[in-house]
Every structure is written in structure tokens, then in C-alpha cells.
Amino acid sequence: QCPVGHSCSEMGLEAPVACGAGFYQGEVGQSSCLRCPRGQYSSSTGSSNCTSCPAHKTTQGIGFSSESDCECPEDYYTSGDKCVACGEGAECG
């Protein structure tokens, strides 16, 4: 049976293939890996789940593979390693 973190051919004739970075598979017996959703990433192969970005950070889309892909969303700015909300009427850049 195809293990978590891997995909297997529909016929089951080929060896399991580890999900690549940015992908995961949390269930056994699956034929494909899934892209990590927005706000999460997977930096290793064979992942059964993705890691959430640090507090208040997100990714620009799906399938990211590094914590460095996690950024402050619109209306926030970076202060050190934290995202801080822009004040009302303030211009965030």
C-alpha cells in the first residue's frame, strides 16, 4: 500500500514516489500529492502535512517550500521578524 507522503500509480505497479517540497499527502493509497495550501509550506520530500507560516504571515499562493516564502499580508509591515498591522490611514509598503 502507498504510504503517507507518497503517491503511487493507479495500477500499483511502480514504487511509491515521495511528494516533493511544497507538496504533501496525508492519506495512504493516493495517486497524487497535493500542493501545500496558502499560508503553509513543506520544505522536505515525503511530507504527510505542511507547516503553517509564523503568526500573521502567509504565502502568496499554494505549493511553497520554504519558511522564507511566508510574508506579511497586505495592510501589514515587517518589523524585525514580526508582522505589524498598519494604522488606520497609514501607508504600508
Side-chain angles (χ1 to χ4, degrees):
Q1 182 144 0
C2 196
V4 296
H6 293 73
S7 64
C8 297
S9 69
E10 297 271 342
M11 305 290 270
L13 302 175
E14 297 173 20
V17 177
C19 297
F23 291 80
Y24 75 103
Q25 182 48 261
E27 298 181 25
V28 297
Q30 300 302 304
S31 61
S32 64
C33 295
L34 306 170
R35 289 181 185 269
C36 290
R38 181 182 292 267
Q40 298 182 18
Y41 65 94
S42 171
S43 56
S44 60
T45 60
S47 293
S48 60
N49 61 0
C50 300
T51 303
S52 293
C53 288
H56 303 295
K57 291 191 176 186
T58 190
T59 56
Q60 294 296 314
I62 60 175
F64 284 92
S65 60
S66 173
E67 184 176 338
S68 65
D69 294 316
C70 298
E71 303 172 344
C72 296
E74 284 186 44
D75 299 329
Y76 281 77
Y77 67 93
T78 304
S79 177
D81 63 347
K82 296 182 179 181
C83 294
V84 179
C86 289
E88 177 114 8
E91 194 171 309
C92 261

